[in-house]
Amino acid sequence: MSTALYLRSMSFFEKFVPHKLMPLWKHPAGPQTVFFWSPLFKWGLVIAGIGDLQRPADKISIPQTSALTATGCIWARYSLVIIPKNWALFSVNVFVALTGLYSLQRAIRHQMEQKKLQETGAKA
């Protein structure tokens, strides 16, 4: 049922696609596929990661940020292995991994500094 509805809606919207954009519309990773919409919505994770850059380092969850970074790395690799190669998915996952790596290094650096402060405080 949902497939038939989807196919009918795509054929309806195709009437409004300009002729110049028809190659994008018909592309194997175009707007008629999940390969288009998945990266589009995943940019929300990048925006959230950029928002985390303002977060204090002691409030960053290392396990959560590690998982997000690993996800970005794994899916970036996957997007180049699948057919068709999905460059939009690759780019969004590279940004997910980069924002995660930056937040991760901030959190780890903060933990190391706190550990040093505790050690020097215990010696004094």
Side-chain angles (χ1 to χ4, degrees):
M1 174 63 190
S2 62
T3 304
L5 177 64
Y6 173 77
L7 291 175
R8 274 187 273 144
S9 64
M10 287 298 108
S11 63
F12 172 78
F13 288 121
E14 188 170 328
K15 299 172 191 171
F16 301 105
V17 176
H19 182 68
K20 284 186 171 186
L21 295 179
M22 202 51 80
L24 172 66
W25 182 258
K26 296 287 187 182
H27 191 273
Q32 297 185 61
T33 67
V34 70
F35 297 115
F36 177 83
W37 295 105
S38 175
L40 185 69
F41 287 107
K42 201 165 187 181
W43 280 105
L45 291 176
V46 175
I47 293 167
I50 291 170
D52 281 350
L53 300 180
Q54 301 298 320
R55 179 179 288 191
D58 63 323
K59 301 290 184 200
I60 296 173
S61 167
I62 291 179
Q64 181 178 354
T65 307
S66 299
L68 198 57
T69 303
T71 300
C73 293
I74 291 166
W75 285 103
R77 171 71 177 121
Y78 171 76
S79 65
L80 297 179
V81 176
I82 60 173
I83 296 174
K85 286 185 178 167
N86 194 335
W87 293 102
L89 186 62
F90 174 76
S91 63
V92 73
N93 281 301
V94 166
F95 277 95
V96 167
L98 289 175
T99 55
L101 277 171
Y102 182 74
S103 291
L104 190 60
Q105 70 87 18
R106 283 182 56 226
I108 291 172
R109 183 178 292 164
H110 175 74
Q111 277 191 355
M112 291 171 63
E113 288 172 0
Q114 293 302 313
K115 194 180 245 184
K116 272 187 186 176
L117 287 173
Q118 287 176 354
E119 288 173 0
T120 56
K123 288 180 183 177

